[in-house]
Amino acid sequence: MNSQWEPVIGIEVHVQLATQSKIFSNAPVEFGSEPNVNANLVDVAMPGALPVLNEDAVRMALKFGLAIEAEIAERCVFDRKNYFYPDLPKGYQISQFASPIVGRGELDVHLDDGSVQSIGITRAHLEEDAGKSIHDRFAQHTGIDLNRAGTPLLEIVTEPDMRSAAQAAACFRQLHGLVRWLQICDGNLAEGSMRCDANVSVRRSGESAFGERTEIKNINSFRFVERAVNYEIDRQIDVLESGGVVVRETRQYDADRDRTYSMRSKELSDDYRYFPDPDLLPLQLTADMLEAVKESMPELPREKLARYAQEHELPPATAVRLTRDFDLASIFDKTTDLGGDAQLVANWLLGDIAASLRREDKTYAELPLTAQQLADLVKRIHDGTLSSTLAKEVFEFAWSTEDSIDAIINERGLQQVSDQDELTALVQGIVDSHPAQVAQIHAGQTKVVGFLVGQVMKQSQGKADPKQVNALLRQMLNI
Amino acid sequence: MALSQLSLDHHEKAKLSADLDSIISFIEAMNQVSTEDVEPLAHALDLTQTLRPDVAVGGIDRSAFQRIAPETSDGFYLVPKVLQQR
């Protein structure tokens, strides 16, 4: 990137809230149903049908607000955002304009280089999703599926605090982790449960005024956010350097071609003719409701982070990785509560277990290993019953059975040979059967000891402790 | 008029145009009033929103809605082709 230019980025994230029913109707929220079977008279906008607000959508918005220590509006209003599109049969979207439920807050974003950036959250408001337009199925028509119409959305808007595409992607990832943590969204990007819009502008380095911005709509992966924003930064710099002007507009990212292209000129808020929806009364939050939401809050990632550093003395990078995923952190907590050594548990969860989950395309929520199994596995490594090689073998068995770790070790004879007499006999046997190598060692080629250690390990089928074997050999050979 | 699917004859158009003119002059009158110290009113009723428990009710009769739709196919509502810009 050209260092004469500084990019300025803010993002808007649409989060589908994990309610059972829609925000203003009692139709079910379900992905992948037959078209229009989840659209009732409110969702298809029958004249006279009235919206009634879903209390869980409100609670979920409050959870998010509390998690980012935001200002919460005790009283807020729903507005109509007017525009015409066939997948919005009312002709307006119910949203919040002048008084969002969640006001200004802060989000700590952990970047890949280990640094933490505090990103301002401007607001988060409740609104309804639109239906879906199917453009490619019918030759002469566009098909409309209103199943998604009325799905509760929390639209989270950040300040233009980001200065690189990587920061924007990290911020989206952090929000994704947080809403999953709070269990207010399933976080399924492939099904559109979270969609990211990025507002991008560039200005000459050192300038304080922002340049004209464009908005890239509906990006649905962390990687695509980074690529789309990078493309857009470069495009704007090219336009400006060749004497052109950036036009305020909405652009779409085409992942296949890795470029953005213009969709339409950007409407200003005046074009939407916002006004308070007369069908909905102002929402007044009661102290009881706020208190109940506060009590339902889980321990937050930043609180866990601090606790892991203090209680378990974990390195910050490890603690950050553990607190990226709610299920991962929960397993870590359960396992350490059962007495598993924190550092070993973290190593396993972030190492072998992460790799195995990736291989089987599973999440930590679907981990086949129980916390008890993991705690016992780590205990048996700690007390020397298992070498790291044997531990991996036991782990493979534990992955596919519900047997206890001790049962696996005993049934399959996987414990380390720690009996001194047995081990001495084993080493003696190898020394006796390798006179040539012993001679080499006595002639000064001490590296050959490694070969003999290998032979003992092979003979023991990996059950000997290599350190002990090494010491015994050196003792026997007087070196 | 096309969007709201209304059709008007000449007589109605003349009458409505006079109505609209008087509405606009009425709004002009409101613009004369100073509202500086007035809190914006979100609703005419001095009440607050009642919330609904999050309970989904399925078994929606799609066919009842689709019978009265201008055109449907395979469960979709059909509308004139929406132009895609690509």
Side-chain angles (χ1 to χ4, degrees):
Chain A
M1 197 188 304
N2 194 321
S3 64
Q4 283 186 304
W5 296 94
E6 181 184 54
V8 176
I9 307 147
I11 63 172
E12 296 173 16
V13 177
H14 287 86
V15 175
Q16 280 186 356
L17 297 175
T19 54
Q20 300 298 309
S21 65
K22 295 189 175 172
I23 182 166
F24 298 118
S25 90
N26 60 10
V29 174
E30 261 167 15
F31 182 82
S33 305
E34 285 283 297
N36 293 306
V37 296
N38 295 334
N40 70 13
L41 75 170
V42 174
D43 308 314
V44 304
M46 280 291 135
L50 289 173
V52 187
L53 184 56
N54 182 334
E55 65 181 0
D56 277 4
V58 174
R59 282 203 191 99
M60 290 180 188
L62 292 176
K63 267 184 144 181
F64 177 77
L66 291 172
I68 60 162
E69 294 177 316
E71 297 158 21
I72 305 283
E74 273 177 47
R75 185 184 173 89
C76 63
V77 173
F78 286 89
D79 298 287
R80 291 186 178 181
K81 178 181 181 178
N82 297 278
Y83 67 94
F84 280 107
Y85 205 72
D87 55 26
L88 186 76
K90 291 195 302 298
Y92 58 86
Q93 177 192 29
I94 305 177
S95 182
Q96 298 192 296
F97 184 58
S99 64
I101 184 164
V102 174
R104 173 84 202 199
E106 296 283 334
L107 180 75
D108 280 349
V109 174
H110 294 270
L111 303 169
D112 283 343
D113 64 5
S115 62
V116 182
Q117 191 186 9
S118 178
I119 300 289
I121 302 294
T122 315
R123 58 185 283 164
H125 64 255
L126 283 167
E127 61 182 28
E128 57 179 344
D129 211 342
K132 268 185 189 158
S133 297
I134 313 295
H135 298 290
D136 51 9
R137 180 161 170 158
F138 304 97
Q140 305 298 324
H141 293 96
T142 292
I144 304 295
D145 176 7
L146 297 173
N147 281 346
R148 197 179 65 182
T151 299
L153 295 177
L154 186 67
E155 180 176 335
I156 303 165
V157 182
T158 77
E159 290 289 298
D161 283 350
M162 288 150 273
R163 296 291 175 268
S164 74
Q167 287 175 8
C171 183
F172 183 29
R173 186 193 296 272
Q174 195 80 40
L175 283 170
H176 179 263
L178 181 58
V179 297
R180 293 219 340 118
W181 191 283
L182 299 170
Q183 295 177 310
I184 62 174
C185 174
D186 66 17
N188 191 326
L189 298 174
E191 291 178 1
S193 297
M194 274 184 88
R195 282 123 50 195
C196 181
D197 303 342
N199 288 301
V200 180
S201 67
V202 297
R203 61 182 171 192
R204 286 203 183 271
S205 299
E207 241 170 59
S208 59
F210 293 149
E212 185 61 279
R213 68 171 187 255
T214 60
E215 181 178 21
I216 316 167
K217 280 296 222 192
N218 285 340
I219 323 170
N220 67 355
S221 87
F222 308 129
R223 196 161 46 98
F224 289 166
V225 167
E226 185 157 355
R227 282 165 52 181
V229 171
N230 268 332
Y231 174 86
E232 187 56 20
I233 292 167
D234 289 344
R235 188 192 68 84
Q236 290 188 10
I237 292 172
D238 280 351
V239 166
L240 293 169
E241 288 196 335
S242 58
V245 285
V246 172
V247 182
R248 179 161 175 146
E249 62 182 353
T250 301
R251 298 179 71 86
Q252 189 156 355
Y253 177 65
D254 181 338
D256 295 332
R257 290 177 220 163
D258 190 25
R259 59 177 298 251
T260 64
Y261 55 90
S262 178
M263 284 168 76
R264 54 185 152 92
S265 63
K266 175 72 184 162
E267 292 88 350
L268 300 173
S269 59
D270 278 357
D271 298 326
Y272 288 121
R273 294 170 294 130
Y274 282 99
F275 65 90
D277 190 339
D279 287 346
L280 287 158
L281 292 157
L283 171 63
Q284 180 75 46
L285 299 177
T286 62
D288 284 354
M289 185 172 190
L290 256 176
E291 200 46 50
V293 174
K294 267 182 198 157
E295 273 172 30
S296 75
M297 294 290 283
E299 186 183 20
L300 292 170
R302 61 166 184 275
E303 294 162 350
K304 267 202 204 297
L305 203 61
R307 185 164 64 79
Y308 288 174
Q310 205 199 3
E311 223 169 82
H312 300 307
E313 295 176 356
L314 288 177
T318 307
V320 167
R321 286 175 69 196
L322 286 172
T323 52
R324 267 203 190 136
D325 182 293
F326 179 75
D327 297 307
L328 168 59
S330 305
I331 299 160
F332 175 80
D333 284 344
K334 277 186 212 148
T335 312
T336 47
D337 284 349
L338 289 166
D341 175 77
Q343 184 63 60
L344 272 175
V345 172
N347 291 350
W348 275 87
L349 282 170
L350 298 171
D352 288 79
I353 291 175
S356 299
L357 288 172
R358 260 199 306 277
R359 196 177 58 226
E360 298 185 10
D361 201 21
K362 285 192 164 106
T363 65
Y364 282 100
E366 301 162 305
L367 180 68
L369 216 63
T370 64
Q372 188 65 55
Q373 282 178 315
L374 182 55
D376 291 344
L377 179 70
V378 163
K379 263 186 233 169
R380 292 293 169 250
I381 298 167
H382 210 64
D383 70 13
T385 310
L386 295 173
S387 64
S388 58
T389 323
L390 284 170
K392 280 185 200 209
E393 245 182 279
V394 173
F395 166 68
E396 294 298 333
F397 285 117
W399 191 266
S400 48
T401 74
E402 283 169 18
D403 294 352
S404 76
I405 293 297
D406 284 348
I408 294 171
I409 293 172
N410 292 332
E411 271 166 39
R412 303 183 191 264
L414 290 170
Q415 62 269 52
Q416 281 196 116
V417 180
S418 50
D419 182 78
Q420 205 62 22
D421 294 342
E422 203 181 325
L423 204 60
T424 309
L426 206 60
V427 174
Q428 190 66 55
I430 293 295
V431 169
D432 292 348
S433 58
H434 292 80
Q437 282 78 10
V438 171
Q440 281 177 326
I441 292 165
H442 283 141
Q445 288 178 265
T446 48
K447 272 191 201 156
V448 180
V449 175
F451 170 80
L452 291 181
V453 172
Q455 292 304 304
V456 177
M457 292 307 292
K458 204 166 143 191
Q459 185 79 31
S460 75
Q461 295 171 307
K463 289 177 218 160
D465 175 359
K467 262 190 249 159
Q468 251 183 308
V469 172
N470 195 17
L472 265 173
L473 269 168
R474 283 171 185 275
Q475 194 188 340
M476 259 179 225
L477 299 171
N478 294 317
I479 54 169
Chain B
M1 291 293 139
L3 273 173
S4 32
Q5 304 234 357
L6 296 176
S7 58
L8 301 169
D9 62 29
H10 280 298
H11 174 70
E12 286 170 317
K13 272 185 190 165
K15 186 174 177 295
L16 271 178
S17 133
D19 281 354
L20 275 173
D21 282 345
S22 77
I23 289 168
I24 287 165
S25 57
F26 173 65
I27 292 168
E28 202 36 54
M30 301 220 305
N31 277 342
Q32 308 300 317
V33 183
S34 164
T35 53
E36 213 152 279
D37 299 325
V38 182
E39 278 274 308
L41 182 72
H43 203 279
L45 297 177
D46 194 17
L47 297 170
T48 55
Q49 184 65 41
T50 306
L51 299 174
R52 167 179 63 82
D54 181 27
V55 178
V57 179
I60 294 161
D61 185 5
R62 179 176 73 183
S63 63
F65 294 117
Q66 303 218 325
R67 257 198 306 278
I68 53 174
E71 213 169 341
T72 61
S73 178
D74 300 345
F76 291 96
Y77 295 96
L78 297 187
V79 298
K81 199 92 184 156
V82 177
L83 283 180
Q84 272 190 294
Q85 297 173 354
R86 231 190 234 238

